[in-house]
């Protein structure tokens, strides 16, 4: 796996924009994570959130644990995370550290064999194979690695012009951005179907038995799992906000770096995509949600 070449090099403005635009994960997803963790003997002492970026998921996880640590290789991301802070269930401050996923056992104040849960929210596609032995080293027996990924957006199939909106979305993701995708982007695009799992690593990590692995998928390809709505519910997505959100995608950042004369002009790839959506929607509103995949690994 190729490490992320974009987010770790964000400047302060880019890190702030990322923090302000990326949506939160639904509470129902966290409830599923906690339920699975507790059901399989996991404790709620210490959580380490890897690839935490500006700390959004870390702050959502922290109230369920006595201690929480967020790590990310991006210095500006960690600066933003520290500015936002956050508290644990015990009232302690969340600790944020600059660190790559493949070196998390070296983070200060992370006890070897004393971590209850390691998480990665839409980040594991950037991790190298060395993440897994580091995770095995840190987790206590019965601990859990929880990885999840969400898509960019899908229109709710019941909204007006849903098929035309999805056609525009598909073109943007699969034609405009694909040439600027890194291998990690492609793993994310496929909702972790191709993610390297611990028993596939070299050497294989036997501390995470395949038979204890659980995977859950919701709303793949925009097809509603319950036939009614996306996990966590769909919502209205203002197109001005969508413009800013799409600007935080790493492939968009690389497109703009490759086209400095077009970036943030009327011919910017995101501006053209949003303009196409406005034309399709006319005076209608965009109602959208995200596909979600959740992968749970238990340490013996």
């Amino acid at each position: 796996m190729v490490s992320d070449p974009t987010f770790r090099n964000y400047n302060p403005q880019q890190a702030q924009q990322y923090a302000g635009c990326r949506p939160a994960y639904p509470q129902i997803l966290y409830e599923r994570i906690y339920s699975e963790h507790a059901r399989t003997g996991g404790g709620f002492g210490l959580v380490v959130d890897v690839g935490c970026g500006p700390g959004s998921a870390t702050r959502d996880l922290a109230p369920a644990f006595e201690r929480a640590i967020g790590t990310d290789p991006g210095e500006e991301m960690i600066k933003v995370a520290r500015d936002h802070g956050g508290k644990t269930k015990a009232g302690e401050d969340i600790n944020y550290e600059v660190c790559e996923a493949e070196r998390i056992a070296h983070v200060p104040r992370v006890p070897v064999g004393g971590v209850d849960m390691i998480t990665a929210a839409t980040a594991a596609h950037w991790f190298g194979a060395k993440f897994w032995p580091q995770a095995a080293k840190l987790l206590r027996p019965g601990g859990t690695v929880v990885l999840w990924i969400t898509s960019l957006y899908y229109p709710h199939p019941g909204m007006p012009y849903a098929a035309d909106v999805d056609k525009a979305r598909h073109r943007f993701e699969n034609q405009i951005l694909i040439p600027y995708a890194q291998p990690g982007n492609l793993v994310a695009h496929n909702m972790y179907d191709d993610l390297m799992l611990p028993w596939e690593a070299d050497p294989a990590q036997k501390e995470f038995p395949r038979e204890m692995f659980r995977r859950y998928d919701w709303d793949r390809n925009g097809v509603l799992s319950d036939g009614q709505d996306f996990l966590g519910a769909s919502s209205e997505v203002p197109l001005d906000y969508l413009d800013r959100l799409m600007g935080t995608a790493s492939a968009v950042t690389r497109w703009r770096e490759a086209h400095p004369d077009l970036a943030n002009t009327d011919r910017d790839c995101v501006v053209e995509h949003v303009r196409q959506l406005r034309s399709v929607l006319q005076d209608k509103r965009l109602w959208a949600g995200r596909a979600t995949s959740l992968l749970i690994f238990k340490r013996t």
Side-chain angles (χ1 to χ4, degrees), residues 6 15 38 41 58 65 67 73 76 78 114 117 139 147 174 187 194 196 198 204 218 226 271 289:
T6 301
T58 322
F65 291 85
R67 293 181 59 211
E76 295 302 330
I78 289 296
M117 182 185 289
L139 281 176
L147 314 176
N174 295 282
V187 173
D194 306 315
M196 183 177 58
W218 293 272
D226 66 1
V271 173

Side-chain angles (χ1 to χ4, degrees), residues 83-271:
D83 287 343
H84 284 271
K87 297 285 187 179
T88 69
K89 180 172 64 176
E92 293 189 7
D93 291 334
I94 300 171
N95 182 41
Y96 296 101
E97 298 289 344
V98 176
C99 184
E100 296 178 337
E102 300 80 9
R103 299 187 67 255
I104 53 173
H106 300 277
V107 173
R109 297 180 293 281
V110 177
V112 172
V115 175
D116 295 284
M117 182 185 289
I118 294 174
T119 59
T122 311
H125 47 286
W126 298 119
F127 298 174
K130 292 182 180 179
F131 163 74
W132 287 109
Q134 294 279 293
K137 185 175 182 180
L138 287 182
L139 281 176
R140 66 174 78 247
T144 310
V145 172
V146 183
L147 314 176
W148 69 91
I149 179 74
T150 59
S151 62
L152 287 177
Y153 79 93
Y154 286 103
H156 190 286
M159 66 165 283
Y161 310 115
D164 291 333
V165 170
D166 197 54
K167 183 178 179 180
R169 177 207 60 79
H170 186 275
R171 177 179 178 275
F172 179 67
E173 289 190 32
N174 295 282
Q175 296 181 31
I176 304 302
L177 294 187
I178 281 296
Y180 304 93
Q182 294 285 323
N185 293 120
L186 300 179
V187 173
H189 185 73
N190 292 330
M191 301 299 291
Y192 287 2
D193 288 345
D194 306 315
L195 187 72
M196 183 177 58
L197 304 178
W199 48 87
E200 299 169 344
D202 185 17
Q205 298 301 304
K206 298 179 180 179
E207 294 88 346
F208 300 98
R210 186 169 188 168
E211 60 270 19
M212 298 179 70
F213 168 65
R214 296 292 181 269
R215 176 180 178 125
Y216 302 95
D217 294 288
W218 293 272
D219 313 313
R220 291 288 298 265
N221 301 312
V223 179
L224 303 180
S225 297
D226 66 1
Q228 298 183 28
D229 209 346
F230 292 93
L231 182 74
S234 56
S235 61
E236 181 185 351
V237 182
L239 294 184
D240 289 344
Y241 165 72
L242 185 67
D243 187 323
R244 298 191 301 274
L245 172 63
M246 294 296 100
T248 68
S250 62
V252 169
T253 299
R254 289 189 288 275
W255 184 97
R256 288 172 172 170
E257 290 172 347
H259 303 89
D261 54 326
L262 303 180
N264 300 304
T265 72
D266 285 345
R267 296 175 62 193
D268 182 278
C269 65
V270 175
V271 173

